[in-house]
Amino acid sequence: MLNIILFGKPGSGKGTQASLIKDKYSLLHISTGDVFRKNMSNNTDLGLLAKGYMEKGELVPDKVTVDMLKDEINNFMPCNGFIFDGFPRTTFQAKELDNLLLEKSLKIDLTIALDVDNNSLIDRLLERGKSSGRADDQSVEKINMRLQEYDNKTKPLVEYYNDQNKFYSINGIGSLEQITSRIVEVIEDYNND
Ligand code: B4P
């Protein structure tokens, strides 16, 4: 079983790369952003709650996110492993994920961060905003709020996973194929160790 976290700032390409990597290793892809957006389009209670936070570029509260994640993991078990995209985003979420996996005698194997500079991220997200209809991609102010949330709440996880020797950072600038190859290299090195 292989459990990977794709890590990085908003727009760094976590969702894009998770979709490419999951098939190669037969992993289940869990994107908390996608689950929230699905709930928003179905107007569920969870969706209505998440909408207020997401549209402002803020993180959805931990308890709501963790409960949703637990349901997703339990629905998907048993499987070959997970690729988590956009989760965890806070230290609380990371600890809850570790506990949940431990209960199932599982663990996170690798956290792979996609390193992209803020100017490129802003350009990518504004470009996506032209067609995605996503409220959080519509202005530099909202994108800056998401980058600030990352710095305040998500960045501490670099140390959390570094301390466990599970953190790898790769250059997230380049073609989709180049970035996929960089991720695969990290996974293959881990598998061959
Ligand atoms: P997410 O849905 O996780 O999305 P994201 O951060 O916007 O983007 P991602 O990094 O996946 O980038 P993508 O591949 O799409 O989060 C949205 C919101 O949901 C959060 O702000 C928060 O409110 C909420 N949320 C989600 N999880 C949460 C949690 N755990 N706790 C609390 N709240 C949570 O790529 C972006 C764009 O770049 C795309 O247009 C793509 O085509 C382009 N792109 C990708 N790779 C590229 C490349 N190599 N070169 C050029 N462009 C590229």
Side-chain angles (χ1 to χ4, degrees), residues 6-20 29 31-37 40 50-62 64-66 68-69 85-90 93 114 116 120-121 123-129 131-132 134 136-137 142 145-147 149 153-154 171-180 182:
L6 276 193
F7 189 83
K9 292 181 179 181
S12 56
K14 304 179 293 286
T16 306
Q17 290 299 326
S19 300
L20 298 168
H29 174 196
S31 158
T32 36
D34 284 352
V35 183
F36 283 134
R37 281 185 287 276
M40 277 161 60
K51 190 175 162 98
Y53 294 96
M54 289 173 76
E55 291 192 345
K56 283 188 273 181
E58 293 172 9
L59 293 188
V60 179
D62 276 339
V64 180
T65 308
V66 166
M68 179 184 85
L69 193 272
D85 147 23
F87 188 96
R89 269 176 148 104
T90 65
Q93 293 181 11
L114 307 178
V116 179
S120 303
L121 294 172
D123 290 346
R124 281 185 190 182
L125 293 175
L126 289 175
E127 188 57 36
R128 180 174 70 186
S131 56
S132 69
R134 276 178 57 170
D136 56 347
D137 286 346
K142 285 186 182 174
M145 166 60 88
R146 292 161 67 190
L147 291 170
E149 285 279 83
K153 299 177 182 169
T154 310
N171 180 0
I173 299 277
S175 68
L176 298 190
E177 296 75 19
Q178 282 171 326
I179 297 164
T180 306
R182 291 172 198 150

Side-chain angles (χ1 to χ4, degrees), residues 70-89:
K70 283 182 182 166
D71 287 344
E72 288 289 306
I73 290 184
N74 288 330
N75 289 341
F76 279 134
M77 290 289 287
C79 66
N80 273 343
F82 292 100
I83 184 156
F84 296 101
D85 147 23
F87 188 96
R89 269 176 148 104

Side-chain angles (χ1 to χ4, degrees), residues 82-137:
F82 292 100
I83 184 156
F84 296 101
D85 147 23
F87 188 96
R89 269 176 148 104
T90 65
T91 306
F92 177 84
Q93 293 181 11
K95 288 183 175 163
E96 288 288 307
L97 178 62
D98 280 348
N99 291 338
L100 180 66
L101 292 177
L102 192 63
E103 279 169 21
K104 300 176 189 305
S105 304
L106 301 175
K107 64 175 171 53
I108 290 299
D109 296 287
L110 293 168
T111 300
I112 305 175
L114 307 178
D115 186 25
V116 179
D117 61 278
N118 285 4
N119 287 338
S120 303
L121 294 172
I122 293 170
D123 290 346
R124 281 185 190 182
L125 293 175
L126 289 175
E127 188 57 36
R128 180 174 70 186
K130 290 179 191 165
S131 56
S132 69
R134 276 178 57 170
D136 56 347
D137 286 346

